Amino acid sequence: MLKIYTKVGDHGKTKQVTGKMVPKYDLQIEALGALDELDSWLGYVISVLSPKSASLASSIQTVQRNLYELQADITVKRHHNITFDDTKKLEAEIDEIMAKLPAIKAFILPGGNQAGASLQYARALARRAERMVIELNDKQQPLNDEIFEYLNRLSDYLFALARYANYLEGYDEIKSKY
């Protein structure tokens, strides 16, 4: 049986792939944690999809797999699997989804049915992860531009998926005052 604990305590440090021990507040660890939080939340989103929105599960799982690759791109020196092609795929899917939806002429409030609201929260988590990855790049570890572009487009994609989930459920989006 594989044990997931060491019984020695970590004293506020964690081991990077390189074997180096760093504080848990290290920028790389914070960025990876934000990506993990997003990935975990997407697993939750899949669990709340109704029969009307169940078709979104495979697209969300593709994003989850890409987030694992992105984390590896950050932690492993010569790992470079997220490319501009991944971003282009997101853009194509965004365009395809948005073509099915009524145009919006005002800001909408995040929310909707359980899947739509959960995807809106995922969008916010993606934005936070993006900010943390940018901070990692700016202050500690230069990263590939493909990572930034993918994360930026991912939040747009999650917004589109949230709107689409609400549409599939027949939920009318609520416009903000502005």
Side-chain angles (χ1 to χ4, degrees):
M1 172 175 70
L2 174 67
K3 294 188 179 191
I4 61 169
Y5 54 88
T6 62
K7 289 190 172 185
V8 297
D10 59 18
H11 307 284
K13 296 193 181 236
T14 193
K15 189 185 290 188
Q16 292 177 309
V17 169
T18 62
K20 180 182 175 186
M21 295 298 289
V22 297
K24 289 189 183 262
Y25 56 81
D26 179 87
L27 293 177
Q28 184 190 75
I29 303 307
E30 290 284 355
L32 293 171
L35 292 166
D36 182 42
E37 184 178 3
L38 170 59
D39 203 354
S40 297
W41 184 257
L42 290 173
Y44 171 77
V45 170
I46 291 169
S47 78
V48 300
L49 294 174
S50 76
K52 291 180 181 178
S53 56
S55 63
L56 303 179
S58 68
S59 295
I60 296 169
Q61 287 170 341
T62 297
V63 169
Q64 288 184 290
R65 287 183 184 96
N66 284 345
L67 288 171
Y68 271 115
E69 294 297 336
L70 199 145
Q71 289 179 61
D73 285 356
I74 290 171
T75 57
V76 181
K77 261 193 186 229
R78 288 179 259 302
H79 195 278
H80 185 74
N81 283 7
I82 294 297
T83 67
F84 290 124
D85 285 342
D86 296 305
T87 302
K88 297 292 180 206
K89 287 176 190 170
L90 286 180
E91 290 171 348
E93 287 189 48
I94 291 167
D95 293 344
E96 185 179 311
I97 291 167
M98 296 303 280
K100 297 175 184 176
L101 300 173
I104 51 175
K105 297 178 175 133
F107 287 107
I108 58 170
L109 297 178
N113 65 49
Q114 194 168 10
S118 295
L119 283 161
Q120 285 285 6
Y121 187 67
R123 174 197 52 78
L125 291 174
R127 287 280 188 218
R128 179 173 45 189
E130 179 186 15
R131 290 190 305 272
M132 295 180 102
V133 168
I134 289 169
E135 182 178 15
L136 171 64
N137 177 77
D138 290 352
K139 294 181 178 177
Q140 183 176 314
Q141 177 186 345
L143 299 168
N144 297 315
D145 288 342
E146 290 93 339
I147 291 173
F148 309 122
E149 190 167 321
Y150 182 84
L151 281 174
N152 184 265
R153 205 66 70 246
L154 179 58
S155 57
D156 297 332
Y157 178 68
L158 294 170
F159 174 78
L161 275 183
R163 289 200 63 220
Y164 191 49
N166 283 332
Y167 174 78
L168 292 171
E169 295 290 336
Y171 178 82
D172 291 329
E173 295 166 319
I174 299 170
K175 294 178 181 85
S176 73
K177 289 170 118 180
Y178 308 100

